[in-house]
Amino acid sequence: MILDKFRLDGKVAVVTGSNTGLGQGICRAFVEAGAKVAGVSRRPSDETAKMCGKNFYNIIADLGSLDCVNQIIEKTVEKFGRADILVNNAGIIKRNDSIDFTEEEWDAVLNVNLKTVFFLSQAAAKKFIEQGGGGKIINIASMLSYQGGIRVPSYTASKSAVKGITMSLCNEWAKYGINVNAIAPGYMATKNTEQLRKDGERNADILARIPAERWGVPEDLEGAAVFLASAASDYVNGFTLAVDGGWLGR
Ligand code: NAP
């Protein structure tokens, strides 16, 4: 049955940024599809744990440095016996005029959004190869993987690079049965976009450009995430899938 291919029964996923926003939605969807999920967050993911029940395990880690990377995979395997899926969802944004942008604003964003994404993917891929059954890596990209954005130069750099390494890792790891893909969310109503939504003028500009005529919500991403985590996408490699209410087509 084709719908069975979308199920995640018996699979173990690591999802970063599990306490809120898009990551929380992905954790909930994966558990509903049959997976066990190790959610990684800086602060406890209590709300997510309540939504997901016993198939959710919270790993507390700060993804701003690489110290935690190997432990995340080790703890997941310790708890659930294996690892099959990694979603690199955690991400931050710093807004400032490029003329005033600081090294700290640059490094903070590049560390979480790119450096840790690469090395956590590497740690996961080593585990997938050791286990022998392939795996799935899903990176969360952005509209700014395609466009320049305004006042967010480090974010744009990081998300353009996320789209790039999604292709480069696919080229090296597809032969192991590891699918590396990305999802580029459009404008979604989460903490990440709170400032934009509060700015009447920017909010109106953004809404006017979205063909679907609304901000996205975490639930909008869940179908794409389950698809890319499941056997239904076994021959999809290195692709960044936009879930954007039509923004890129405009
Ligand atoms: P969000 O609500 O701000 O969530 C971001 C998540 O990342 C939070 O769980 C956050 O934890 C976590 N995080 C940030 N820095 C971390 C660190 N050093 N260590 C561990 N966790 C850390 O934003 P979101 O919208 O759900 O964003 C999820 C992903 O989608 C991000 O990569 C973002 O760039 C991307 N995205 C979002 C949109 C959008 O419109 N919302 C559009 C395109 C792409 P804390 O709560 O502890 O900070």
Side-chain angles (χ1 to χ4, degrees), residues 63-65 92 94 101-116 153-155 157-158:
L63 300 164
S65 93
I92 56 172
K94 300 276 181 196
F101 217 76
T102 65
E103 186 177 356
E104 198 187 351
E105 288 166 330
W106 183 269
D107 287 345
V109 172
L110 266 295
N111 282 342
V112 178
N113 293 15
L114 183 62
K115 190 172 178 183
T116 300
S154 59
Y155 186 82
S158 70

Side-chain angles (χ1 to χ4, degrees), residues 32-62:
E32 211 179 297
K36 294 187 166 75
V37 175
V40 182
S41 57
R42 272 188 293 201
R43 294 174 291 113
S45 293
D46 292 345
E47 201 180 81
T48 313
K50 224 176 258 172
M51 290 173 172
C52 294
K54 65 175 178 15
N55 286 333
F56 179 83
Y57 170 61
N58 191 197
I59 298 172
I60 300 293
D62 183 348

Side-chain angles (χ1 to χ4, degrees), residues 65-185:
S65 93
L66 295 183
D67 299 344
C68 57
V69 157
N70 290 324
Q71 284 168 22
I72 288 171
I73 303 300
E74 280 162 21
K75 282 185 181 169
T76 302
V77 174
E78 228 173 82
K79 175 70 183 172
F80 290 133
R82 56 184 296 107
D84 305 284
I85 300 159
L86 167 66
V87 183
N88 284 305
N89 163 76
I92 56 172
I93 191 161
K94 300 276 181 196
R95 299 178 196 279
N96 195 358
D97 293 337
S98 287
I99 206 80
D100 297 320
F101 217 76
T102 65
E103 186 177 356
E104 198 187 351
E105 288 166 330
W106 183 269
D107 287 345
V109 172
L110 266 295
N111 282 342
V112 178
N113 293 15
L114 183 62
K115 190 172 178 183
T116 300
V117 167
F118 176 80
F119 285 101
L120 189 54
S121 299
Q122 185 189 64
K126 282 182 182 168
K127 179 52 68 181
F128 298 161
I129 292 167
E130 181 196 314
Q131 290 173 167
K136 304 274 181 179
I137 297 176
I138 305 169
N139 296 322
I140 302 300
S142 164
M143 294 295 97
L144 301 192
S145 302
Y146 303 90
Q147 301 176 317
I150 303 169
R151 304 183 69 245
V152 288
S154 59
Y155 186 82
T156 306
S158 70
K159 294 299 186 178
S160 302
V162 161
K163 180 170 175 288
I165 61 168
T166 297
M167 293 185 286
S168 93
L169 297 180
C170 143
N171 292 340
E172 293 190 50
W173 297 345
K175 65 178 178 233
Y176 301 113
I178 300 172
N179 299 80
V180 188
N181 290 292
I183 298 173

